[in-house]
Amino acid sequence: AEAFRFSYDVVYTNVMSAGAYRGYGATQGIFALESAVNELAQTLHMDPTVLRAKNMVREGQMMPAYYGETTRSCALDRCLERAKEMIGWDEKYPCYDCGNGKVRGVGVAMAMQGSGISGVDTGAVEIKVNDDGFYSLMIGATDMGTGCDTILTQMAAECLECEMEDIVVHGVDTDNSPYDCGSYASSTTYVTGMAVVKTCETLRKKICERGAEYLGCSPDDVEFDGEKVVNLKTKEEITRKEIGNKVMCSSNAPLSATEAFSSPVSPPPFMVGAAEVEVDTETGEVKLLEFDACVDCGTPINPNLTRVQAEGGLLQGIGMTLTENITYDKNGYPEENSLFQYKIPARTDVGKIKVEFESSYEPNGPFGAKSIGEVVINTPLPAISDAIYNAIGTRFYELPITPEKIAMAVAEKQK
């Protein structure tokens, strides 16, 4: 078109706009898909874990619905077995009548996500050797509380054979940080992590070259062990600290490296979640007694951060399933206008949350890692709703599943 013309009105509204939220799109889709699988199991009079075991993807298989990618790392079968053990599935499925109008039920779901957007997401990293030999790590990925600054530093320290204390991470500033698509789509550990690995490989080569120059020998004759460059023939050596100080003198060129990474594939993490609920059939109240999850995120880089990522995502999914809702009155004003009405579950609102990991090794990821950021929010929705179905015999297709909905469903069945 040679020309465009626009006209528009600006309208104020109290209705909240849609936006990105952990797992966006996949969370809703997996709720529908896994609920359908649980319905199929019910129709077939089959244990839903058995139906999944017969049909789940396994390592080495090609996934037609996932861009034709082949799973090079998949511990989903082990995740299912472990989650069943954790919840005590065989003893508790499908439900148990506790008396006094209270029934306990269990439900299960599985999920996969991605590790960045293949062919799109790009992460870049720069690492510089400073005086006294300490490193500056400059990244473009923002640490939103996920701990990516720590994880990327761990990777760099492993590659450079140094202590984490030897590396200073610089906060993201778009004026001078290397380019990064952003901390979204479960991409940082996988995409930016591989950029760290590539950058460290290049920097080690440059350190060897600079060390050989100062030792007066060929780069082919030296080796860098993280602390010093050694001439393998003469055993002469120069420390990283000395190299860093020499770089600052005599108009030497800076000693740094920059690399970027973009992956042609997006290896999916996998997860199985199992829930046990207690439903009061008189009041409709639901208590989440236990939620057990087993995750395959490849090789966990930092087990502590990996665990809290999983626990946080599970709590968000629990809130979406049971309490979090927004409604509007006839004038368009939100009726849940504070955290008293919009209930986010606290730690005291849920029973046991247990997370375990079944490691696989992803050959395309840094140190065998895949993502974990989003997959962990996806299983509570279908697993808890299935547990409620097993307890009262009514399946819900809209969330959240409130006490009012449950009480009305029980009353309807009693009629």
Side-chain angles (χ1 to χ4, degrees):
E2 295 181 1
F4 293 90
R5 177 174 294 168
F6 298 90
S7 63
Y8 59 90
D9 294 316
V10 176
V11 180
Y12 175 84
T13 173
N14 293 301
V15 178
M16 295 182 67
S17 59
Y21 185 77
R22 190 181 204 151
Y24 47 99
T27 310
Q28 293 80 0
I30 288 173
F31 171 54
L33 176 65
E34 287 294 288
S35 295
V37 172
N38 286 327
E39 276 197 82
L40 286 169
Q42 166 204 342
T43 303
L44 294 167
H45 305 289
M46 182 183 293
D47 185 318
T49 63
V50 175
L51 180 61
R52 286 175 170 84
K54 288 178 177 288
N55 293 280
M56 70 172 68
V57 66
R58 297 175 188 271
E59 192 166 304
Q61 292 182 340
M62 190 270 284
M63 298 177 286
Y66 193 69
Y67 316 109
E69 286 189 21
T70 298
T71 55
R72 292 177 172 82
S73 58
C74 178
L76 185 56
D77 52 345
R78 302 200 305 271
C79 288
L80 179 60
E81 289 303 314
R82 187 70 191 109
K84 287 178 64 177
E85 291 175 14
M86 293 165 69
I87 200 76
W89 180 267
D90 293 335
E91 296 78 31
K92 297 176 180 177
Y93 175 78
C95 65
Y96 170 73
D97 193 332
C98 304
N100 298 322
K102 295 182 179 180
V103 184
R104 293 183 177 184
V106 290
V108 68
M110 60 175 52
M112 61 180 276
Q113 193 86 22
S115 298
I117 302 174
S118 55
V120 174
D121 283 348
T122 299
V125 169
E126 180 180 0
I127 304 178
K128 182 174 65 172
V129 180
N130 299 292
D131 50 324
D132 285 347
F134 75 91
Y135 297 102
S136 290
L137 172 62
M138 286 161 279
I139 57 178
T142 303
D143 194 329
M144 304 181 294
T146 57
C148 75
D149 284 1
T150 300
I151 291 169
L152 297 174
T153 303
Q154 282 182 273
M155 293 183 187
E158 182 74 16
C159 293
L160 295 170
E161 297 182 84
C162 67
E163 299 296 327
M164 289 180 65
E165 290 76 13
D166 295 333
I167 302 174
V168 176
V169 184
H170 291 262
V172 176
D173 184 335
T174 51
D175 285 338
N176 52 41
S177 294
Y179 178 73
D180 195 288
C181 284
S183 301
Y184 79 112
S186 301
S187 63
T188 304
T189 298
Y190 177 72
V191 176
T192 310
M194 279 305 297
V196 168
V197 173
K198 289 179 63 179
T199 303
C200 289
E201 290 172 353
T202 302
L203 184 60
R204 286 184 70 101
K205 183 179 178 181
K206 290 186 174 183
I207 291 173
C208 285
E209 291 172 350
R210 192 63 60 89
E213 176 187 331
Y214 296 146
L215 291 173
C217 63
S218 168
D220 296 332
D221 295 335
V222 301
E223 184 177 79
F224 178 55
D225 64 3
E227 290 296 325
K228 57 187 178 299
V229 174
V230 181
N231 185 333
L232 298 176
K233 291 181 177 179
T234 66
K235 304 304 179 184
E236 287 184 278
E237 60 184 45
I238 183 171
T239 64
R240 189 181 77 224
K241 177 178 179 179
E242 291 173 319
I243 292 174
N245 289 333
K246 280 181 174 291
V247 167
M248 300 299 163
C249 305
S250 306
S251 300
N252 281 303
L255 185 51
S256 65
T258 303
E259 295 287 349
F261 178 76
S262 181
S263 177
V265 295
S266 178
F270 300 94
M271 177 181 184
V272 176
E276 181 182 11
V277 301
E278 182 179 273
V279 182
D280 188 324
T281 56
E282 294 183 4
T283 65
E285 181 188 10
V286 178
K287 288 183 179 178
L288 180 63
L289 302 177
E290 186 170 337
F291 196 98
D292 296 325
C294 190
V295 188
D296 163 25
C297 61
T299 303
I301 299 297
N302 185 312
N304 288 333
L305 288 175
T306 306
R307 188 174 302 279
V308 296
Q309 280 276 290
E311 291 173 350
L314 290 174
L315 203 62
Q316 288 177 311
I318 291 165
M320 293 173 72
T321 309
L322 296 176
T323 60
E324 296 183 44
N325 192 33
I326 296 176
T327 55
Y328 300 91
D329 64 20
K330 63 181 181 179
N331 296 316
Y333 286 93
E335 294 179 312
E336 292 79 17
N337 60 5
S338 76
L339 293 178
F340 285 104
Q341 288 80 30
Y342 186 86
K343 176 60 179 170
I344 296 173
R347 185 63 188 88
T348 54
D349 296 319
V350 297
K352 298 177 183 176
I353 292 182
K354 293 187 290 186
V355 177
E356 293 191 8
F357 299 93
E358 285 290 343
S359 295
S360 61
Y361 186 87
E362 173 51 50
N364 295 302
F367 302 99
K370 297 186 286 189
S371 73
I372 196 170
E374 292 174 297
V375 70
V376 289
I377 197 176
N378 295 327
T379 56
L381 290 73
I384 294 172
S385 64
D386 191 48
I388 293 172
Y389 165 78
N390 286 328
I392 67 170
T394 299
R395 194 172 296 279
F396 294 92
Y397 299 95
E398 292 184 5
L399 301 177
I401 306 173
T402 60
E404 292 85 350
K405 291 180 182 179
I406 293 173
M408 292 176 68
V410 170
E412 187 67 27
K413 290 185 77 68
Q414 289 175 346
K415 287 181 181 180

